[in-house]
Amino acid sequence: MDILTAMKISGSALKAERSRLNVASMNLANANTTRTMEGGPYRAKSVVFEAKPLDRDFGAALQGAASRLRKVEVVEVVEDQAPFREVYDPAHPDADENGIVRYPNVNVAEQMVDMMNARRSYEANVAALEAVKEMAARAMDISR
């Protein structure tokens, strides 16, 4: 694996983790949204990652090793189908005829853990990128 390939792999992971953080932030921002544009409370969302073959040139693909290298991509953002949290509050403007208000199915603790995991993954990929940059700089020093 060359330096640019390592950077592509880490870069794809950084992009995927950024999407994960954006979705978790959106979930937290809408944790109390009882009315959306589509109607009804907000549904929590999560990202689906998939390992995809790394785009390589034809010569590298012929060597065979390139077929095992994978990058990470966000395939889709899916809605959580868990039931909404129901709270009795007859004074709320979105209460139904029984006084029940449906709040989003966002679990704040779960979203915080997801954000911490995304942050750790992001940091690990930044460290990998820094190591690759350091190796490239050392290679340049040797060639002088």
Side-chain angles (χ1 to χ4, degrees), residues 1-143:
M1 176 172 26
D2 60 34
I3 290 172
L4 290 178
T5 302
M7 292 177 115
K8 281 182 185 176
I9 292 171
S10 290
S12 72
L14 290 173
K15 184 178 175 184
E17 292 301 333
R18 185 183 62 211
S19 297
R20 185 176 169 190
L21 274 173
N22 285 339
V23 168
S25 298
M26 184 171 55
N27 287 337
L28 287 174
N30 290 296
N32 292 316
T33 303
T34 58
R35 189 181 313 168
T36 61
M37 297 287 283
E38 297 83 25
Y42 175 82
R43 278 206 177 271
K45 296 174 177 46
S46 61
V47 294
V48 177
F49 291 154
E50 184 175 276
K52 296 210 169 184
L54 194 62
D55 299 330
R56 302 286 307 228
D57 62 353
F58 183 69
L62 286 178
Q63 293 176 355
S67 63
R68 290 179 286 174
L69 296 176
R70 303 272 184 217
K71 64 181 179 180
V72 177
E73 283 187 8
V74 174
V75 177
E76 64 180 324
V77 177
V78 295
E79 288 188 345
D80 186 352
Q81 296 302 316
F84 295 118
R85 184 172 43 104
E86 295 182 347
V87 175
Y88 179 73
D89 185 4
H92 195 284
D94 291 330
D96 63 8
E97 63 276 356
N98 298 324
I100 301 294
V101 179
R102 287 181 179 76
Y103 281 93
N105 56 354
V106 175
N107 182 334
V108 174
E110 188 177 284
Q111 296 302 316
M112 292 301 294
V113 169
D114 201 31
M115 288 179 82
M116 288 190 306
N117 285 336
R119 181 177 160 223
R120 297 279 181 178
S121 296
Y122 200 89
E123 289 172 349
N125 281 291
V126 168
L129 268 176
E130 291 295 326
V132 168
K133 279 176 39 183
E134 183 67 27
M135 286 191 292
R138 298 274 172 130
M140 297 286 275
D141 288 343
I142 290 172
S143 66

